[in-house]
Amino acid sequence: MTVLISIIAILLFCAPAWATDYYVATTGNDSNTCTQAQSILTPKLTIASGSTCLSAGDTLQIRVGTYTGPHGSGMPSGTNWSSPITYKAYNGEAVTWAAPATDRALTLASSQHHLIFDDIIFDGAAQTGSYDVIKITYQDPGTGAHHIRIQNSEIKNAGAQAVLLTGKAEGTCCVEILNNTMHGNGRFDTNFMHAVYSQVDDVIIKGNDIYNQSNGQNVHIFYDNASNNIIANNRLHDRVPGGTGSTVSIIAGVGTGHKIYNNIFYGSGAGINIDYGTSAQAYNNTIYGGNIAIGAESAGTVIITNNLIDVAGGAQPFGIGIYAGASNTTVQNNLVIGGAFAGCGAAICNLAGKNTTLIDNITSGSSLFTNPGAADFTIQSGSTARNAGVSTSPTVIDDFAGISRPQGPAYDIGAYEYVVSGHKLNATGKWTGTGKMVVQ
């Protein structure tokens, strides 16, 4: 009997908590209990009240409508990524978390962690000044929010930043910004307000469409030695004409371990700036009308490999510039079409950068984009970029569209691999994500 009781106790202790869905709707009532709010017919009215029902593993299903913030205060935490708390638009309904005139739509600053925000419209249109739409930060010492994921959402019309991440020393870190659309941000402040401003470590910015930024950068990494940020598979484009502040699309301006790859830039001014002592890698980006600049002030160890830069698509005078502040730069197997910097008369220009290594770069030929006027930067069969790169594995193992690299004897340069259509076997005998085999 004692053994049986012990076994039952162990099973009860180890049994996982069952994840529960709760509902919020603009037609709801906060007087409804949490048990009632498990039914779509008797939802809570507000995000705050719905949050009081949540435990690790639960989801707050939010019905169509506008929910004016600020949200975030009192939100509970998940346990880990296997048991997070999720805030989600119900069944794809249009759910807007609106910022009020003088605050944010969402602020996390009380040690919250393992939260997912999925398919939500975060809107700063009502803001009357320089307020961010989302800020992940800290309130008291040691209370930084961490392990936060914002995905499949729309973040727009911020007076200042769309997403601001601060408080590294207080524990803020590990934010994932995945597959979102961000546009129309930086409306008020002319002092370098950005779509995403990261001052913390271990941030992943991947799969986003960022456009119509009014000023500042699309992505800006600066302050507090922020390190190990990944910026990958984003489309960064169509900056607001006449916008103020820097016209660089991505600045990695502090820290080490940053990885910038498989991004597509067009209509967004200059492309990538690695500076202020930063160490970073930039692999397999496609930059139409922009460039890559290293060490205008200073830079650490920088590797620039397999980038496709078509200067003719914009007003930049060169493709890759290594300035005197650069101290240890490798530039390898990049393709630069057009442009020559006045300081050296070349498309790839080393302007007194120290310990600079240039290997097998190409400054002639053709990018042969499929249709750049329609923002289609896949390459055609005769592109000079085809099979002209080197392996950037394990960082880059597929392309912007998720096609495995390489599709031929070598990596293609730029964000896309060239894929021959048809049900044919490729060099490695692997299937593509479309269920077709391909040959090159």
Side-chain angles (χ1 to χ4, degrees), residues 288-315:
Y288 187 64
N291 57 26
I292 299 176
I294 305 110
E297 299 293 334
S298 63
T301 300
V302 177
I303 303 174
I304 308 296
T305 303
N306 290 357
N307 297 284
L308 171 48
I309 304 171
D310 193 327
V311 180

Side-chain angles (χ1 to χ4, degrees), residues 343-356:
C344 68
I348 299 176
C349 187
N350 182 18
L351 294 167
K354 297 174 285 295
N355 299 319
T356 299

